[in-house]
Amino acid sequence: MSEHEHHILPFKLYLKIFLSLVLFTFITVWVAQFNFGSLNTLIAMIVATIKATLVALYFMHLKYDDKTNAVCLLAGVFFLVVMFAFIAIDVASRIPLESTL
Amino acid sequence: MSYAAGSNYLNHEKGLWSWLTTLDHKRIGIMYMISVFTFFFIGGVFAMLMRLELFDPGPLFAAQTYNQMMTYHGAIMTFMVIIPGIPAFIGNFTLPLLIGAKDVAFPRVNLLSWYCLMVGAAISFATLFFAGVDTGWTFYTPYSIQTSGTVLMVLGAFVMGFSSILTGLNFIVTVHKLRAPGMTFFRMPLMVWALYSTAVIQVLATPVLAITLLLLAFEKMFGVGIFDPNLGGDPVMFQHFFWFYSHPAVYIMILPAMGIISELITTFSRKTIFGYRAIAFSSIGIAAVSFFVWGHHMFVSGQSSFAGIIFSFITMLVGVPTAIKTFNWVATMYRGSIQLKSPMLYALGFLFLFTIGGVTGIMLATLAADVHFHDTYFVVAHFHYVMVGGTLMAIMGGVYYWLPKMFGKMYNEFGAQLSFLFIFCGFNITFFPQFLLGSAGMPRRYHEYLPEFTSLNKISSIGAWTIGFGFLIALAVIIHCILKGEKAPQNPWGGKTLEWTHADSPPIHENFATTPVVEAGPYEYGR
Amino acid sequence: MIKKLSAFTSILFTSASAFAEYGMPQAGNNYASRVDSLYYFLLIASLISCILVIGGMIFFVFKYRRKSEFDQTPYISHNNTLEFLWSFIPFVIFMIVFVWGFLLFREAETAPKNAFEIHVYGRQWAWDFAYKSGKTTTNELVVPAGRPVKLIMTSKDVLHSFFIPALRIKQDVIPGRYTSLWFEAEKKGEYQVFCTEYCGAEHSGMLAKMKVLSNEKFEEWLSDDPMKEYEGLSLAARGEKVVSKKACTACHNFNADVNGAIAPGLKNLIGKKRNFADGSSMIADREYIRESLKYPQKKVVAAYDGKAAMPLIPLNEDEITWIIEYIKSDKD
Amino acid sequence: MAHRITDTDGSHYAFHYKNSNHEFEASKFGIWVFLCTEILMFGGLFVGYILNSGKYPEVFEVGATFLDWKLGFLNTVILLFSSFTIALSIRNIQIGEQKKAFNNLLVTVLCGFGFMGVKGYEYSHKFHLGLLPGKFFNYTPHTAESDSHPTGEADEKPARSNASETSHVSELPKNMPMYFSFYFVMTGIHGTHVIIGMCLILWAMLRLKRGDFDPKHYTFVEGAALFWHLVDLVWIYLFPLLYLV
């Protein structure tokens, strides 16, 4: 069995990732001030996803690991999106009904 | 590790403590067998009492008592019998043997999963001593947050959920990492494909049940107002969260049963499976699509009609792979050499009942028909045909098939076939009339019904007690076999999978003396 | 061959419809009979597929019985055309059935504009109906024949579900929200209404009757003075009538003073000592009954604390006095 | 214990694996599947949150004003730093620097305590104001004005309002408690996972002290680190959703 698995990353890379994460946190806070209406949640989600991928790829070694680990992460997220999408379809397409009594 | 002659996993260590702290997947499988059979009989007693009440329209038990019996029958049978049933009991015992491994990936997690089931079951049964739960196994709000006992039962189901997650996790890693050399994915027996796709559903669906039950408990204790309409919550949201788990859960119940049926039909027709890849891919296909269809439980529940139409369409799609599997099994029997031993009888019983269950499922997936049939006895008959007719028949077939391997003893063939006769006939007498009751409009969960439904309910009750009697005979046959069955050969059925060809019955502690190397597919009959 | 086939399908059709006749209740209107024809199609398709699968299985079991221990079986691993056929054909049938069900479902979902609106209130274990003219009834829905009727429904406590088997329609009733159901009953007569969403102890007792009257009779019923049916009855007798109409007897037992499973018995209640959940107690009198009828939650009898709460039932002043008279009359 | 076989190169692995690396890969894959279930569990909450914030936007906007985003920001940075240090500790173990690894783990646990401290402060501030979940919600706007600075002393006498009180909404939207229900449920479950993560790391530090880990065998620390990173991941999503709506 080749000893490829214990990937050791340089200290600098960890530092760079950490600093960019803090930077993105500033961006999240900064972008939250402008009111884009319902778009706000979407933008916040996008920035948070960028930060999450950074943590997952480098800190959690997903980049250097066997691809099945990444599939686990993505499967979880995918079925969450499916759940959200179908419930949102239902909630959005309900026809509100008023009582005429 | 050298092995004295005649030493096997049963007499490898002695004493109850060696069983309660065992890490051997085979022993954990036997412990699961004992728990699942016990819970099955408790759930069965509730079913018999329910049919006693429904024998005639008049009240026998108080309304509250019947509603509690209905709830416990539902909760026990789903959470404690049929979800852990095949994956944990038969799956635990056979998976490492089928793929040529020494044990599952994480033996200690496997033992923890059994304790989660027992602790969760203890908590759920504790509700019997307090007020008792009468919400139905679905815990729909807002009734479930107004009545008593829900929090304890929900906590029990929460803990049992972990048992399912840990088993699923174990099986996924085992199948990926511990296959014998030479066993590629397409040389794995179809039972392993079925257990693998079940494990995927268990891992992806059960956490959502965990958070739903947690939110329900918080709703009851702190009134968080997410599902409580008086506080702005939406009961239909609870139904979405609940069924997002519970529909994939019914595929957790049926997929392993399909795996067993693939094994039984090939071995007892002594013929290679027809359409191996079709069955393997439809297992995975069903597992994936099962997460898109839960809304067909909610066509009339206040869900928007647009969503209902989408769910109905996708439910039709998930019907296709199931139909393909059934046709493949029948095609396997073509020009085979069929031996009617009792495992094969149960497999044929499965095909008979599951086909009826399947076609009625399509009726329920049709929007206009479901509006009439929803929450009537038509639905009760459908899911019993698919669960009892499907999964339970497969469990009984699997038990008789692997009993010689588990205990090294043969069961009494006549007794087994007799119990099959009672169970199969009793089943049809019980649940076929319920289709008619349902289409006539008798709602479910009624402890008293209108006089016009009396005759069919009488027949159904008689059928129910026949099933009960059949299972008693089956229990006697199994106990007799374990205690006094005569010695079973290593391969009584002529199976071609690893546990028959390489492991002896009962297998040694490490399953295989030398790790088997696999060169060909699992069903090499007539090659 | 065609002749045999058509004979075969006609037998199938009659047997399926006979089977369905026995199964489905008498269709109350055109929509219901169209749902029945969908059900017939489903039945026939299921019958044929069961015959093919189960028949095929049983045929193979006998034809290919194991003759000897050394039987050799052919190695048939797959057959693409056959596998394509038995995936595509079920898919096509499922799509036909889906579209057919979808069309009927959409029709049942959008109510015509000029529908006659009636309000339905589901409560724990009875149905209240309110008409625009102010008339309210309990467990008795009266509708005109031949005119579209739209029910606007909500619940006062937990989930219920309004189900009319004869018209093949059903709709859950959700607290805090309105759901609607529309139909056009054609055959005059009386139809059974069920509650099909589990709602507690007396879920199976939550039955209502739907009376379909001709237009004139319905107009006349709608306009007649609700008090007409009480003429000539003593106050106590009127109280007894109100009590049965409003389904109070579903929970309370008026001729026993022992505590029932769901609610206290009310025989000669006046003058009896009542102790309540909040520890206070009082001698029951007219004022106590009136207050409990108007605000059921104010004074809950100790034994029923935490149990299913008594719902607020719409009663006018006369009905309250009659009920009190009726309870008083028990003494003699 | 599944008895372990010591390999020629000193590494040891359970009997049913081929070698220690095979066991390491399998354990890591198992941990990732478990993380997937954690994601789905938290995800269910996020789906509920986003759907309800779509249904009652004003409730969630007013609710967010009660939260002090600066504290949220501080917590995010604390957790990011703790992720950084625990990643470093894995690196140290891989190259054999046990001492440094121990210190990094220590810093991570201290960050955990810091995070819980900030959370505790925020909770007490909310309890004090009466912003409790569901039916315990008894926040009345005027008490906010005359509210004492929550230094924990009994507040029978009215006192001046808290500086961070940005919203003086006289009339709150109808089902205001729902926001705080979500706030307490999500941060509560997340907080529990932070505590579980800290216990795992303390246990890892204990075993590190005992010398259980070496560059060939550190599966347990890897598992604790992955779990901690997941807790950080969840907070990365929680912070914008709760604080910055």
Side-chain angles (χ1 to χ4, degrees), chain C residues 2-232:
Chain C
I2 312 292
K3 205 162 39 57
K4 243 199 277 120
L5 200 65
S6 61
F8 177 68
T9 38
S10 63
I11 299 163
L12 260 186
F13 200 83
T14 39
S15 67
S17 50
F19 175 79
E21 226 79 58
Y22 182 76
M24 289 290 213
Q26 188 57 21
N29 60 9
N30 176 282
Y31 170 77
S33 50
R34 273 184 282 122
V35 169
D36 285 358
S37 50
L38 166 62
Y39 181 51
Y40 295 162
F41 176 80
L42 280 165
L43 263 180
I44 294 169
S46 311
L47 226 57
I48 294 172
S49 36
C50 282
I51 288 166
L52 284 176
V53 171
I54 297 165
M57 173 184 82
I58 292 167
F59 172 68
F60 285 162
V61 162
F62 286 110
K63 184 157 192 326
Y64 302 109
R65 254 190 338 285
R66 180 165 295 183
K67 309 237 174 7
S68 82
E69 272 313 299
F70 314 101
D71 284 358
Q72 278 307 326
T73 58
Y75 185 80
I76 311 167
S77 65
H78 64 280
N79 171 337
N80 289 340
T81 45
L82 181 63
E83 291 188 60
F84 169 74
L85 272 180
W86 71 31
S87 329
F88 186 67
I89 293 171
F91 174 75
V92 168
I93 297 172
F94 294 166
M95 282 308 119
I96 295 168
V97 158
F98 161 70
V99 170
W100 190 343
F102 156 67
L103 292 174
L104 281 171
F105 183 71
R106 203 176 47 160
E107 179 199 332
E109 193 249 340
T110 44
K113 287 286 163 292
N114 57 5
F116 179 84
E117 284 181 358
I118 304 173
H119 284 269
V120 179
Y121 298 95
R123 60 177 161 85
Q124 257 168 327
W125 306 310
W127 296 98
D128 294 327
F129 302 100
Y131 291 78
K132 276 227 172 31
S133 69
K135 195 176 179 69
T136 61
T137 59
T138 303
N139 283 352
E140 189 203 356
L141 171 64
V142 181
V143 290
R147 264 173 68 190
V149 167
K150 178 174 181 181
L151 303 179
I152 297 174
M153 311 191 286
T154 184
S155 157
K156 289 184 180 160
D157 35 42
V158 290
L159 291 182
H160 300 281
S161 184
F162 197 79
F163 173 39
I164 311 171
L167 306 181
R168 317 291 189 263
I169 48 170
K170 177 187 290 131
Q171 180 58 49
D172 272 22
V173 170
I174 304 161
R177 211 184 104 188
Y178 289 102
T179 50
S180 79
L181 197 59
W182 85 275
F183 56 86
E184 186 176 322
E186 280 141 18
K187 287 200 183 61
K188 285 185 267 303
E190 200 170 275
Y191 298 96
Q192 182 61 48
V193 173
F194 292 104
C195 165
T196 46
E197 187 56 64
Y198 182 70
C199 57
E202 281 309 321
H203 164 58
S204 48
M206 201 170 153
L207 310 171
K209 276 274 188 277
M210 183 175 81
K211 291 193 178 68
V212 181
L213 307 174
S214 64
N215 248 325
E216 316 74 29
K217 273 224 201 64
F218 174 71
E219 293 306 335
E220 184 221 306
W221 175 82
L222 198 59
S223 58
D224 78 359
D225 160 20
M227 293 307 150
K228 198 147 55 67
E229 56 184 308
Y230 298 116
E231 253 113 30

Side-chain angles (χ1 to χ4, degrees), chain B residues 156-201:
Chain B
F158 178 79
V159 173
M160 283 189 281
F162 279 108
S163 160
S164 200
I165 292 176
L166 296 177
T167 307
L169 182 147
N170 233 326
F171 284 2
I172 290 179
V173 178
T174 309
V175 168
H176 270 281
K177 296 288 176 186
L178 290 178
R179 276 170 287 129
M183 180 173 272
T184 63
F185 261 92
F186 291 109
R187 286 189 184 152
M188 289 196 311
L190 285 170
M191 177 68 173
V192 179
W193 275 96
L195 287 171
Y196 179 70
S197 34
T198 315
V200 166
I201 304 179

Side-chain angles (χ1 to χ4, degrees), chain B residues 470-493:
Chain B
F471 275 115
L472 282 180
I473 302 175
L475 181 66
V477 167
I478 291 169
I479 291 175
H480 162 78
C481 160
I482 295 173
L483 300 179
K484 290 201 290 301
E486 84 271 10
K487 186 84 181 75
Q490 182 196 345
N491 193 349
W493 317 113

Side-chain angles (χ1 to χ4, degrees), chain B residues 38 40 103 148 190 211 244 349 370 490 493 505:
Chain B
T38 324
F40 175 67
D103 203 329
S148 60
L190 285 170
I211 194 65
F244 180 80
D370 185 70
Q490 182 196 345
W493 317 113
S505 10

Side-chain angles (χ1 to χ4, degrees), chain B residues 275-333:
Chain B
Y276 174 93
R277 283 176 185 261
I279 292 185
F281 286 135
S282 46
S283 290
I284 299 291
I286 290 175
V289 180
S290 69
F291 284 91
F292 294 79
V293 291
W294 78 83
H296 59 231
H297 296 275
M298 299 161 57
F299 283 152
V300 288
S301 73
Q303 172 185 260
S304 77
S305 65
F306 178 60
I309 292 156
I310 294 174
F311 281 123
S312 171
F313 176 73
I314 301 174
T315 308
M316 296 295 178
L317 297 187
V318 88
V320 174
T322 320
I324 290 172
K325 279 189 157 189
T326 316
F327 300 142
N328 273 316
W329 287 322
V330 175
T332 308
M333 294 164 62

